[in-house]
Amino acid sequence: MKLQIMPDHLHGIIFFKQEVSYHLGQVINGFKKGCNDTYKLLNDNAFSKLWEAEYSDNILAGPNHLEIMKNYIADNPRRLWVKQHNSWLFKRHSIMVNGKSVDVMGNLHLLNYKEKVYVQCTNKLDNAGIEAAYNRFIRQAQDGNVLVTAGISKVEKSVMNWALDNHHELILVVENGMTNLWKPSGKQFDSCASGSLLIVAPWEYTKYPRKINREKCLAMNDVALDIVKGNFSCSL
């Protein structure tokens, strides 16, 4: 097991080297019980329970998932410090986009920038067309525009990554929703902390989201375009 103890929770990675007949919940409950029993032995007036009833788990089965999670756990203390010192940038808010309530996190003031550019581009372009489209969006960003995109196609992803790498102002529409405890990770976290990112989530949160389809791609692009057109309302 790999652990990272935080002030009000902990993260851990559990490795199973062979098939077991019991459920993961039994492992977690056993760990919690052991902690409770030890704490009560050491403290006569200890509370009966140290833990909340539930836990959140993820199966690390995809490419590089283990290394990604190890890095995530190791980086938790730094992210906590950043969130505590930039708490307003990591609060979930609701705004209305074209009459629909959506969740957002990040720098809400980016919505009030007058100069925004809608970053959308088909994957059907040849290499020369992709390069030309990418360079056009980067020039628009360097001219002072806030980039607004769903980051779906090759060009959109490249422009999104450029914005995240350079902490350029970016409004990003994402394919999954947010929970009360949800926070961005990786480059999105750092861009959020710097005030250069606003994440827009038009959907309910799904722990294991299905593969994105054409209908959802179009809906995400519509949200991005509505933001560029000013079809939204929020109170700052």
Side-chain angles (χ1 to χ4, degrees):
M1 175 182 282
K2 181 178 178 64
L3 286 177
Q4 179 66 267
I5 299 176
M6 304 297 289
D8 58 355
H9 67 282
L10 65 82
H11 294 274
I13 300 175
I14 300 175
F15 298 90
F16 289 90
K17 296 183 178 180
Q18 61 187 36
E19 186 176 348
V20 295
S21 59
Y22 41 84
H23 190 272
L24 176 62
Q26 293 174 273
V27 178
I28 301 299
N29 286 336
F31 174 78
K32 290 181 177 180
K33 184 179 184 303
C35 292
N36 287 333
D37 291 346
T38 302
Y39 187 60
K40 283 187 284 187
L41 285 174
L42 297 174
N43 299 271
D44 293 335
N45 298 318
F47 293 105
S48 59
K49 291 184 179 180
L50 294 172
W51 307 94
E52 293 185 1
E54 298 180 353
Y55 66 92
S56 176
D57 66 292
N58 286 287
I59 299 173
L60 307 180
N64 300 319
H65 277 192
L66 179 58
E67 287 304 314
I68 291 171
M69 186 55 68
K70 284 181 178 179
N71 292 334
Y72 173 85
I73 290 176
D75 197 38
N76 246 235
R78 181 190 71 87
R79 289 201 308 275
L80 176 62
W81 188 94
V82 170
K83 285 185 286 187
Q84 288 175 337
H85 289 77
N86 302 275
S87 59
W88 71 278
L89 291 167
F90 292 95
K91 290 182 179 178
R92 186 175 66 163
H93 301 274
S94 292
I95 67 171
M96 300 298 294
V97 177
N98 198 14
K100 179 183 176 182
S101 178
V102 303
D103 288 335
V104 296
M105 182 178 291
N107 188 355
L108 282 167
H109 294 285
L110 295 181
L111 291 168
N112 289 335
Y113 278 47
K114 292 183 179 180
E115 302 300 327
K116 302 188 191 75
V117 58
Y118 174 48
V119 181
Q120 191 276 329
C121 187
T122 178
N123 273 329
K124 296 180 180 180
L125 298 176
D126 59 19
N127 290 337
I130 289 174
E131 183 177 1
Y134 171 82
N135 289 333
R136 182 176 72 253
F137 289 128
I138 300 305
R139 284 196 300 271
Q140 289 175 309
Q142 292 170 337
D143 286 340
N145 288 282
V146 175
L147 301 169
V148 186
T149 186
I152 298 170
S153 71
K154 293 178 182 178
V155 172
E156 294 162 30
K157 287 179 180 177
S158 296
V159 173
M160 173 192 72
N161 285 321
W162 177 89
L164 294 173
D165 289 338
N166 291 276
H167 294 290
H168 184 86
E169 291 80 8
L170 172 69
I171 298 176
L172 179 64
V173 181
V174 296
E175 63 184 273
N176 203 358
M178 302 176 181
T179 65
N180 289 331
L181 298 177
W182 182 89
K183 295 293 182 294
S185 59
K187 292 189 290 186
Q188 291 185 20
F189 179 91
D190 292 329
S191 288
C192 193
S194 73
S196 61
L197 177 65
L198 179 69
I199 300 171
V200 181
W203 328 99
E204 294 292 330
Y205 175 79
T206 302
K207 186 170 184 179
Y208 298 109
R210 297 179 178 177
K211 186 176 181 180
I212 190 169
N213 56 28
R214 174 177 170 78
E215 181 180 2
K216 194 167 189 178
C217 289
L218 293 174
M220 292 167 67
N221 283 328
D222 286 343
V223 172
L225 185 56
D226 280 324
I227 289 174
V228 171
K229 290 181 176 180
N231 297 333
F232 63 85
S233 62
C234 73
S235 57
L236 299 177

